[in-house]
Amino acid sequence: MSTATSADGTTISFTATGAGRTVVIVNGALSTAADAAPLAQALTDAGFRAVAWDRRARGASGDRAGSSPKDEVDDLAAVIHAAGGTDAVLGHSSGAVLALYAAMRGVPTGALFLSEPPIDFDGAGFGDDLPDKLQGFVDAGEPTEAVASFQLDAVGLPAEMVEAGRVSGQLEALAPLAQSTVYDARLTLRLKQIDPALLEVSVPVTVIRGSQTFPFLMAAADRLASAVSGAELVIVPESIMHRPDPSATARVIAERL
């Protein structure tokens, strides 16, 4: 395990495996670098050097109260610098949103591979008050309630599914990531009214989605691919219900780098 220091002094933990052209993986909500291990292994098997990292307030990485989307951009920039640069960034879900935002702000991401980014083009999703609501649960010592609220209000999971997670212990297992739900909500809100500059990034963009995924994500991926000049949409049948298939995703990247 290695570390990078972000612009605000926060320590960000990352792991690099394999040899070859570098691909930095940016995880989605409620996940850590460990959850990216199958993707990292598939990329390594395909001849890449894969870098997986814990976004702030996750895993072995640090945090700072009041962190903003820009801080997460700085985190990604720090990881890329500490890793010696990168040829591409693979972002999944909110990680894809972060990757696109970082490229817009001039971070040297290389090619972007954006897996099912939950961009709310129409502004029909959750309201501006959600980050404060989630932070309230965290500050009150109720991290499982923050996770539950994020799943209900941001992700849009059915109430019965969230309740089943409570009964099974899944919410409690995710409780250490509660603070990160605040940051994911802030990041998603930052892109709620799409900034035209996001659609004018100068790096190659490949938008990836499964053929069987949530309708909102399908629509968002298709719309993003059509809105970004020169972007390519790739449909990966092996990826099902917002879970990127590691081998198929690595193949998509290998065919384009």
Side-chain angles (χ1 to χ4, degrees), residues 236-253:
V236 180
E238 297 94 332
S239 296
I240 298 174
M241 300 313 290
H242 206 40
R243 295 183 181 276
D245 180 87
S247 296
T249 301
R251 183 180 68 244
V252 169
I253 295 173

Side-chain angles (χ1 to χ4, degrees), residues 6 8 10 55-56 63-76 98 101 105 135 179 182-188 190:
S6 195
D8 68 350
T10 299
R55 290 167 59 186
R56 65 175 54 209
D63 187 25
R64 177 183 60 81
S67 293
S68 69
K70 181 184 178 299
D71 293 315
E72 290 213 85
V73 166
D74 291 340
D75 297 346
L76 175 54
L98 177 56
Y101 187 42
R105 296 186 66 93
Q135 190 66 63
Q179 183 63 56
V182 179
Y183 302 155
D184 268 314
R186 287 176 182 164
L187 176 66
T188 306
R190 175 63 185 80

Side-chain angles (χ1 to χ4, degrees), residues 100 104 121 194-201 223-224 227-229:
L100 181 60
M104 184 202 80
F121 282 96
I194 196 77
D195 188 328
L198 284 168
L199 308 179
E200 298 171 0
V201 293
R223 189 163 174 180
L224 180 63
V228 176
S229 178

Side-chain angles (χ1 to χ4, degrees), residues 188-246:
T188 306
L189 279 173
R190 175 63 185 80
L191 273 68
K192 190 168 186 177
Q193 298 299 321
I194 196 77
D195 188 328
L198 284 168
L199 308 179
E200 298 171 0
V201 293
S202 59
V203 298
V205 175
T206 303
V207 182
I208 308 170
R209 69 163 174 84
S211 56
Q212 300 177 61
T213 190
F214 298 98
F216 166 74
L217 295 170
M218 189 178 297
D222 292 1
R223 189 163 174 180
L224 180 63
S226 66
V228 176
S229 178
E232 179 185 9
L233 175 67
V234 179
I235 298 173
V236 180
E238 297 94 332
S239 296
I240 298 174
M241 300 313 290
H242 206 40
R243 295 183 181 276
D245 180 87

Side-chain angles (χ1 to χ4, degrees), residues 33-46:
D35 296 304
L39 272 173
Q41 186 61 56
L43 287 165
T44 298
D45 293 343

Side-chain angles (χ1 to χ4, degrees), residues 96-136:
V97 176
L98 177 56
L100 181 60
Y101 187 42
M104 184 202 80
R105 296 186 66 93
V107 174
T109 60
L112 291 177
F113 293 88
L114 308 178
S115 170
E116 301 194 0
I119 296 178
D120 184 14
F121 282 96
D122 298 319
F126 59 85
D128 295 352
D129 60 339
L130 182 58
D132 288 341
K133 178 182 178 181
L134 298 173
Q135 190 66 63

